[in-house]
Amino acid sequence: MTNIMLFSGSSHKDLSQQVADRLGLELGKVVTKKFSNQETRVEILESVRGKDVYIIQSGCGAVNDNLTELLLMIQACKIASSSRVTTVIPCFPYARQDKKDRSCAPISAKLVADMLSRAAGADHIITMDLHAPQIQGFFNIPVDNLSAEPAVLQWIRENVADWRNCIIVSPDAGGAKRATSIADRLNVEFALIHKERKKANEVDRMVLVGGVQNHVAILVDDMADTCGTICHAADKLISAGATKVYAILTHGIFSGPAISRINSAPFEAVVVTNTIPQEDKMSHCSKIQVIDISMILAEAIRSNHNGESLSYLFSHVPL
């Protein structure tokens, strides 16, 4: 590939390096530091004039600092006369705040979309498994919402010995479409857990819709934060007669009491992708396993740069 430059923010440098290695590129030189008053400082140390620029920055860790850093990197490249700036955001920040559910609540995902495209000047967004797919409509620029589903299917077939006897379970109604898609491609049954909340991050009651007696249950969701939902769901599935319970998530945020909850829950494994760094979490929880999705991001960048279709990535894992 020619006329392309790849930069990494500070949120997930390991993933950025894996993508660069896959593409046979060197990461561009950039300084991302703090001034003494904690304002973010960004300086691009290479010429990007006329270049097709890709900036990889995940919405994790110090989310607000990393988002500010990304905005500054985009603007730095735009005012340095790059031909196009594409932001690769494996885990999109503020995606759970996608609607106005109270009289005075912000639609934060829309605000972030406006900051990226209108304020900073991004020309294209590449992300993965948005919490709400309609967030794509918040942008006035192209958005490629990649799917981890092919990698999830591959992991299930290779690591769950009795996968033909499994039940794919959605931990809530919002994830039913994702779970049914995986169940259809595996040609297995599907179940749903209906949950009622008293307040955010706190589940009041769960009802299992479907049977899991004498089956392996695989919980599938796009993200897990404090893990209250999936841990309650695991207990519910075991009490309903499931022989084993797995959880497969695209974005493993694991904040607050998440790790202690997973350690106490009856999971065989909690599988996440590396859209978010997991090394520290894995050192405290042996149940966490990671699916590498760097090859999907790398192929999306290559295809986008060369003007090729991304359709292949929605059904296959690049070799």
Side-chain angles (χ1 to χ4, degrees):
M1 297 188 295
T2 59
N3 205 43
I4 181 174
M5 297 202 73
L6 188 66
F7 293 96
S8 173
S10 58
S11 67
H12 199 346
K13 291 186 177 180
D14 287 344
L15 177 61
S16 301
Q17 188 61 60
Q18 287 176 282
V19 171
D21 292 343
R22 175 85 180 187
L23 293 171
L25 300 173
E26 295 288 334
L27 287 174
K29 297 176 183 177
V30 57
V31 172
T32 55
K33 294 183 178 179
K34 294 276 190 180
F35 290 107
S36 60
N37 66 350
Q38 297 306 299
E39 289 180 354
T40 300
R41 174 194 171 198
V42 166
E43 184 180 358
I44 306 295
L45 300 181
E46 301 191 37
S47 173
V48 296
R49 184 176 296 274
K51 301 290 187 180
D52 188 11
V53 174
Y54 292 81
I55 302 171
I56 303 175
Q57 179 82 309
S58 199
C60 58
V63 177
N64 295 330
D65 286 346
N66 290 333
L67 177 58
T68 300
E69 183 180 283
L70 175 59
L71 295 170
L72 294 174
M73 290 179 72
I74 295 168
Q75 192 197 45
C77 292
K78 292 296 288 187
I79 63 179
S81 301
S82 60
S83 65
R84 181 175 65 164
V85 176
T86 300
T87 59
V88 182
I89 313 175
C91 180
F92 193 87
Y94 290 94
R96 287 180 289 178
Q97 301 176 47
D98 62 313
K99 58 184 177 294
K100 185 177 178 180
D101 53 3
R102 300 182 189 86
S103 60
C104 294
I107 306 177
S108 305
K110 168 61 174 169
L111 178 59
V112 171
D114 285 343
M115 288 193 295
L116 289 168
S117 58
R118 297 178 186 273
D123 299 297
H124 195 146
I125 304 292
I126 296 175
T127 187
M128 178 168 280
D129 280 349
L130 283 169
H131 185 64
Q134 63 267 25
I135 290 174
Q136 294 174 86
F138 293 169
F139 290 87
N140 60 347
I141 57 175
V143 177
D144 289 315
N145 182 25
L146 303 175
S147 174
E149 183 177 299
V152 168
L153 292 168
Q154 179 175 293
W155 188 93
I156 292 173
R157 292 186 178 113
E158 292 178 355
N159 294 275
V160 181
D162 197 21
W163 66 266
R164 291 179 177 84
N165 188 40
C166 75
I167 303 287
I168 304 299
V169 183
S170 174
D172 56 33
K177 184 176 181 181
R178 179 183 302 104
T180 53
S181 175
I182 292 175
D184 288 344
R185 293 185 63 179
L186 290 174
N187 195 28
V188 298
E189 296 299 317
F190 160 78
L192 169 72
I193 292 178
H194 172 66
K195 63 184 180 182
E196 298 175 358
R197 294 183 184 272
K198 285 183 176 179
K199 57 184 179 181
N201 287 339
E202 185 175 320
V203 177
D204 180 36
R205 191 170 70 96
M206 285 187 162
V207 178
L208 176 63
V209 181
V212 295
Q213 182 79 31
N214 299 323
H215 287 77
V216 174
I218 303 178
L219 283 160
V220 176
D221 208 353
D222 66 315
M223 66 171 59
D225 188 356
T226 59
C227 292
T229 296
I230 64 165
C231 290
H232 279 119
D235 291 335
K236 185 74 177 179
L237 293 168
I238 290 294
S239 65
T243 57
K244 294 180 181 179
V245 178
Y246 294 84
I248 303 182
L249 318 157
T250 303
H251 311 296
I253 301 172
F254 301 149
S255 65
I259 296 301
S260 63
R261 285 175 173 173
I262 293 173
N263 283 327
S264 301
F267 289 113
E268 293 294 314
V270 175
V271 184
V272 296
T273 72
N274 58 341
T275 58
I276 295 174
Q278 299 296 341
E279 288 77 10
D280 181 59
K281 304 294 192 304
M282 293 174 71
S283 67
H284 294 90
C285 181
S286 60
K287 295 180 182 179
I288 296 176
Q289 299 183 30
V290 174
I291 299 173
D292 181 23
I293 47 84
S294 61
M295 71 289 289
I296 298 176
L297 298 178
E299 183 62 17
I301 291 172
R302 189 200 65 80
S303 298
N304 185 61
H305 176 68
N306 293 331
E308 300 172 3
S309 171
L310 301 185
S311 299
Y312 178 84
L313 297 178
F314 291 92
S315 55
H316 299 83
V317 178
L319 298 177

